[in-house]
Amino acid sequence: MIITVREQNEAARFLAWPGDFDLDRGDHVEEVHLASGAALEGFAGDGAGGTYFFCGEGGEERPILYADSEGGAALVAIGLPELLRLLLVAPWWRDCQAFTDEESRELAAGYLEDMPDLVARRDRAAAALGLDLPDPADALARLREVAVRVGEDFVLIFTPEGHPYEPARGGWRS
């Protein structure tokens, strides 16, 4: 699917903005590892210095951990298609504090005010990638489930000091 994203210009542009997801930013600024010792592979990043990592062995179906530049990290998706769906329907996910439907609608309104063509661009990007889109509330509920329940097994460690990143549960940008 990474190749598909690279080949689909409109999808790549939407994921770059408003999704703030760039496949050319896979290097994290700090040396990190998973507490479990499982493999960790940075494959994309955002404009604020955050990094998306594939966890464990395998391909794009692996769990994906997001680490921000402020020492917060959490599992955000199980597989690249799930992450892309989240970025397409709720590019504001990092600004969510509680991952509620009401909060998502308020954030969406701000994005739509700035980008009136957001939904049309999103739908074209999803079609280009061959993805069916969930409701934003469902995507955020899944994010919360993955980050809180599944993510407990994916603790990111700042290698030089041996300290874990803080578990990020919402409010990625303060």
Side-chain angles (χ1 to χ4, degrees), residues 1-2 41 43 54-64 79-81:
M1 182 145 285
I2 287 176
E41 176 190 345
F43 70 93
F54 284 121
C55 301
E57 301 296 328
E60 295 175 351
E61 77 285 351
R62 292 177 282 174
I64 297 172
L80 188 57

Side-chain angles (χ1 to χ4, degrees), residues 5-45:
V5 170
R6 290 189 187 280
E7 291 174 347
Q8 297 297 328
N9 290 336
E10 186 161 15
R13 281 193 306 272
F14 185 93
L15 290 168
W17 190 255
D20 199 10
F21 176 83
D22 185 346
L23 288 169
D24 294 326
R25 293 183 183 213
D27 294 328
H28 197 59
V29 296
E30 300 176 328
E31 185 181 348
V32 294
H33 67 275
L34 286 173
S36 67
L40 192 64
E41 176 190 345
F43 70 93

Side-chain angles (χ1 to χ4, degrees), residues 45-124:
D46 64 24
T51 307
Y52 293 92
F53 296 94
F54 284 121
C55 301
E57 301 296 328
E60 295 175 351
E61 77 285 351
R62 292 177 282 174
I64 297 172
L65 182 117
Y66 173 79
D68 65 23
S69 61
E70 304 298 318
L75 203 65
V76 294
I78 305 299
L80 188 57
E82 184 172 279
L83 175 65
L84 296 177
R85 285 182 187 100
L86 172 66
L87 295 170
L88 288 167
V89 301
W92 47 83
W93 70 271
R94 289 177 206 84
D95 295 324
C96 290
Q97 298 290 319
F99 302 114
T100 64
D101 188 37
E102 180 181 340
E103 179 184 42
S104 180
R105 281 194 309 270
E106 289 173 11
L107 291 166
Y111 273 68
L112 287 166
E113 187 175 312
D114 292 340
M115 292 175 271
D117 64 340
L118 176 77
V119 172
R121 288 182 54 223
R122 177 205 65 201
D123 290 348
R124 287 192 304 268

